[in-house]
Amino acid sequence: MMLFGAPVSPFVRKVLAYAAEKGIDLPLTPVGLGDPNPEFLAASPFKKMPAFTDGDFKISDSTAIVTYLEAKHPEPVMIPADPANRARVIWFDEFADTILTGAAGPIFFNRIVMPKFMGQEGDLAAAAKAETEALPPVLDYLEGVIPASGFLVGDAFSLADIAVASPFINAEHAGVKPSSAKYPKLTTWIAEMHARPSFSTWIRRERKMLGFG
């Protein structure tokens, strides 16, 4: 098996954290924007990260990849069989990929990707607008739905927690952290998720790669 992508991508990181929690050995081949790696392109013809191969099987999209891995490695359960809980896990995965990343993405792109990877000045006004206008309603929602169990779905760690925790690492790289006074449940949940080895190992590597020490 092989994963292709940039570790600072929240979607790539989601798959890496998922594999780590499953105990799956999933090597990463780094690829960047416009990378001509033929194996990457064979698995992701539209150049979307991450891409994945397992023998002759090739697929892209983080949700498709984790769905494949869940079927091949059912223990520990990350996508529950209970209909309601399964639906909620899929909802949070979609929420993370589209709504949360859509709100926070311009912050990371303009403050980190543009200057560090593309050698251009980012649109800092767009980043500030995302931080002050697009992100707060998303944070408000999460603060209201985190249950007493400390896990987003049921009483167990799942793909939902992995998917939602991943984009917050990008936000932190870009200097954005929710207020603990305004979002006490959310900030506690983020800290607990990011302290898990499946995330903390990559956070250290990413910070070093980005020159943050």
Side-chain angles (χ1 to χ4, degrees):
M1 288 190 292
M2 181 64 66
L3 190 70
F4 299 85
V8 293
S9 160
F11 311 115
V12 174
R13 188 189 302 112
K14 177 175 79 175
V15 178
L16 291 169
Y18 171 91
E21 294 284 349
K22 283 277 192 177
I24 300 170
D25 181 16
L26 183 56
L28 173 69
T29 294
V31 297
L33 296 172
D35 199 297
N37 183 308
E39 292 181 273
F40 167 63
L41 296 178
S44 183
F46 296 99
K47 303 179 182 179
K48 299 297 184 181
M49 299 181 195
F52 171 84
T53 61
D54 185 10
D56 293 333
F57 178 73
K58 300 176 177 64
I59 198 74
S60 62
D61 182 77
S62 60
T63 300
I65 295 166
V66 298
T67 300
Y68 174 81
L69 292 173
E70 185 77 13
K72 289 199 70 173
H73 303 271
E75 297 295 335
V77 174
M78 293 289 175
I79 303 175
D82 173 78
N85 283 342
R86 174 170 290 200
R88 293 182 67 227
V89 166
I90 298 305
W91 151 246
F92 277 114
D93 182 61
E94 175 65 14
F95 164 84
D97 286 358
T98 57
I99 298 173
L100 174 54
T101 300
I107 304 169
F108 182 74
F109 181 78
N110 287 294
R111 292 181 183 172
I112 301 294
V113 175
M114 287 289 285
K116 288 187 175 289
F117 296 103
M118 302 178 72
Q120 302 176 36
E121 184 177 350
D123 186 341
L124 298 183
K129 184 176 182 179
E131 182 178 355
T132 58
E133 296 182 17
L135 191 57
V138 177
L139 304 182
D140 291 341
Y141 167 75
L142 287 171
E143 179 69 17
V145 298
I146 295 173
S149 69
F151 301 110
L152 287 176
V153 176
D155 297 321
F157 184 77
S158 71
L159 172 62
D161 298 293
I162 295 172
V164 176
S166 186
F168 280 106
I169 296 172
N170 293 71
E172 289 185 17
H173 288 332
V176 175
K177 283 188 174 184
S179 164
S180 58
K182 187 174 182 180
Y183 303 108
K185 290 195 297 182
L186 177 59
T187 51
T188 297
W189 177 85
I190 291 172
E192 291 175 351
M193 294 301 115
H194 291 178
R196 297 178 75 95
S198 56
F199 276 123
S200 63
T201 299
W202 286 105
I203 291 171
R204 289 193 297 270
R205 293 179 185 178
E206 290 173 35
R207 289 186 62 80
K208 184 176 181 180
M209 181 182 72
L210 294 171
F212 296 154

